[in-house]
Amino acid sequence: MNKPHLSVTQIVNMNVGFLGIQFSFGLQQANMSPIYQMLGAEGKDLPYLWLAGPITGLLVQPFIGAMSDRTTHRLGRRTPYFLIGALICSLGLLLMPFSPALWFAAGLLWILDAANNVTMEPYRAYVTDRLREEQHASGFLTQASFTGLAQTLAYLTPSLLVFLGMNKDALGANGIPVVTTLAFVVGALLSFTTVWWSIRKVPELPLPPEEIARLRALPHGFGAALAEIWAALRDMPPTMRRLWWMALFQWYGMMCYWIYIVPTLAATMFGTDDAHSPGFRDAALLNGQVGGFYNAVAFVAAFAMVPFTKRLGAKWVHAFALACAAAGMWALPGIHDKTWIFLPMVGIGLAWGSIMGNPYVLLAGSIPPARAGVYMGIFNMFIVIPMLIQAVTLPLIYDGLLAGRPENVIRLAGVLLALAALCVLRVKTEPS
């Protein structure tokens, strides 16, 4: 298919929908551990309660990718999945802060993450579908920039509400702060409206009649999707295979950070392990501020990386960014002054901007366009399987090797990101 060269404005518009998707993920990263602990969860059980994300990603994304590759709906191959997933996500965000019990919040997170995955996976393939190969770096790093912007806003929304005069200690009937509830309401509004904006401004390219005929002749349904996933795994390009070890260390480390950053800040900055104390709520707000800061760094860095990625190559830029984050995470637990806590976030922000863009630049150049959906879904397995490994193994070493301290989990994350930086340098980038 002859793809038109898109302007910078068009590339930005097609990625606006990622703002809503990633605002939702940002709300989860910033708030799910505090919500769980406010509803009665113990620290060592937090990884189990976060299982919804990796398991739904493992189950949903490859199948949605395979199905969208063969979809011939009048709205497009990917658009129906965008709309359905975004609508369900909006409803889940509205309900989450009103959870009456721990089991309700944990169950709702499964629905919310499934909906996010239904929307996000086709979105990755949509960028590959719509852009020429020489524009892949611009497309995916713009998408990474919207990730940074969205998560900046998601992390900062509770603090902004407090700045505007709301009481940070005002609680709902379930003990969840009112400012957190309003942040989730904002996320619900953004989830659907931003996706709608993107598909309206930059609709999918119509498939030629011969391609529609070919797709309709292919088998459809669950069995066909499973067979396609198996065939794609068997034929996986070598570049994609080499990305696995980077992904293992990278995502294990990031999950350690997201789950344990609030308990770490509560201990190191406010001297408390009590999830019901004012100091713990202060730590949650501080996490919103530092999280907003590192995502703002990611927003700027992702755009700034475009010329470096084009000139030096995605793997060198990504390795540098991961090394900066490794140093920041190792240093973070030793900081007890709020003024200095933002310094390690510069490295974490550089890495986060790169994580959401550069690995996809490496991937997109190595996969066949006709299988973009299924391979983007399989690549998500490289994200969620490390998260599952983390959820299963970390509780086993938390009380022993890590001395039951959240600060040590953050230090472990630093070591893992350093290993990820070494692994990405071993990736060969020749298209297969």
Side-chain angles (χ1 to χ4, degrees):
M1 184 188 300
N2 186 23
K3 302 174 185 177
H5 187 278
L6 297 191
S7 68
V8 172
T9 300
Q10 287 175 304
I11 292 174
V12 168
N13 275 326
M14 73 183 293
N15 284 298
V16 166
F18 226 65
L19 178 76
I21 296 169
Q22 292 298 329
F23 194 97
S24 173
F25 279 116
L27 287 174
Q28 293 175 46
Q29 291 167 13
N31 295 289
M32 286 315 301
S33 283
I35 285 174
Y36 283 150
Q37 289 187 282
M38 289 169 187
L39 293 173
E42 297 291 334
K44 67 179 181 180
D45 296 327
L46 290 176
Y48 295 133
L49 293 167
W50 277 70
L51 278 172
I55 290 181
T56 56
L58 181 66
L59 298 177
V60 171
Q61 287 210 23
F63 284 100
I64 293 296
M67 291 167 63
S68 70
D69 279 343
R70 302 186 180 198
T71 296
T72 56
H73 193 275
R74 61 182 178 82
L75 293 176
R77 301 168 80 186
R78 321 295 182 185
T79 300
Y81 302 97
F82 297 165
L83 295 175
I84 293 170
L87 181 60
I88 297 173
C89 179
S90 291
L91 295 174
L93 289 171
L94 280 174
L95 290 173
M96 179 61 77
F98 298 101
S99 297
L102 181 60
W103 66 266
F104 188 96
L108 190 56
L109 186 63
W110 283 79
I111 298 171
L112 180 57
D113 270 326
N116 268 327
N117 281 301
V118 167
T119 305
M120 187 170 69
E121 191 288 324
Y123 221 114
R124 300 285 194 193
Y126 164 59
V127 173
T128 303
D129 292 345
R130 205 64 171 79
L131 295 176
R132 297 178 179 182
E133 185 169 349
E134 64 268 22
Q135 290 193 293
H136 282 170
S138 297
F140 284 114
L141 287 169
T142 300
Q143 201 170 82
S145 290
F146 272 106
T147 298
L149 176 61
Q151 296 196 3
T152 297
L153 296 173
Y155 273 87
L156 285 180
T157 297
S159 291
L160 290 173
L161 291 171
V162 172
F163 177 77
L164 292 173
M166 291 193 66
N167 182 0
K168 68 181 177 66
D169 293 317
L171 307 178
N174 56 1
I176 294 173
V178 173
V179 292
T180 301
T181 299
L182 290 179
F184 275 79
V185 172
V186 172
L189 293 173
L190 286 175
S191 182
F192 187 82
T193 56
T194 57
V195 170
W196 176 83
W197 175 273
S198 283
I199 61 178
R200 180 174 176 271
K201 290 292 184 179
V202 190
E204 293 186 65
L205 293 172
L207 294 172
E210 60 273 18
E211 179 65 7
I212 292 175
R214 184 188 72 83
L215 292 174
R216 286 179 175 170
L218 294 173
H220 293 76
F222 179 82
L226 187 61
E228 172 63 8
I229 293 168
W230 176 253
L233 285 169
R234 184 188 60 222
D235 302 333
M236 187 184 299
T239 296
M240 187 173 176
R241 292 180 186 274
R242 296 184 188 112
L243 287 168
W244 159 251
W245 291 104
M246 173 212 75
L248 172 63
F249 296 121
Q250 172 180 284
W251 289 105
Y252 195 120
M254 290 307 297
M255 279 296 282
C256 287
Y257 173 82
W258 289 325
I259 294 175
Y260 286 97
I261 183 59
V262 173
T264 295
L265 292 175
T268 60
M269 302 296 291
F270 300 98
T272 182
D273 294 321
D274 182 2
H276 302 287
S277 67
F280 196 90
R281 291 194 289 273
D282 287 336
L285 285 174
L286 178 59
N287 179 50
Q289 294 161 23
V290 297
F293 178 76
Y294 88 68
N295 277 287
V297 172
F299 171 64
V300 175
F303 278 123
M305 285 176 193
V306 173
F308 292 99
T309 293
K310 289 181 176 179
R311 182 173 180 178
L312 302 175
K315 74 175 185 179
W316 292 101
V317 176
H318 192 47
F320 173 77
L322 288 173
C324 290
M329 287 195 187
W330 184 261
L332 193 153
I335 297 173
H336 305 285
D337 185 336
K338 184 177 178 181
T339 305
W340 292 102
I341 199 68
F342 291 88
L343 184 59
M345 296 301 153
V346 175
I348 295 171
L350 286 173
W352 188 231
S354 185
I355 284 169
M356 298 306 291
N358 280 312
Y360 295 94
V361 177
L362 289 168
L363 176 67
S366 71
I367 58 176
R371 279 179 155 178
V374 69
Y375 274 124
M376 287 293 176
I378 290 172
F379 194 61
N380 188 65
M381 295 168 69
F382 287 18
I383 300 173
V384 299
I385 291 175
M387 291 180 175
L388 284 171
I389 294 172
Q390 190 265 3
V392 172
T393 59
L394 192 75
L396 302 178
I397 63 173
Y398 184 76
D399 286 330
L401 184 63
L402 301 175
R405 299 304 307 167
E407 306 96 303
N408 292 332
V409 182
I410 302 299
R411 292 188 178 97
L412 172 64
V415 173
L416 293 168
L417 289 180
L419 292 173
L422 293 175
C423 289
V424 75
L425 291 177
R426 300 182 67 251
V427 175
K428 296 179 181 179
T429 56
E430 295 83 6
S432 56

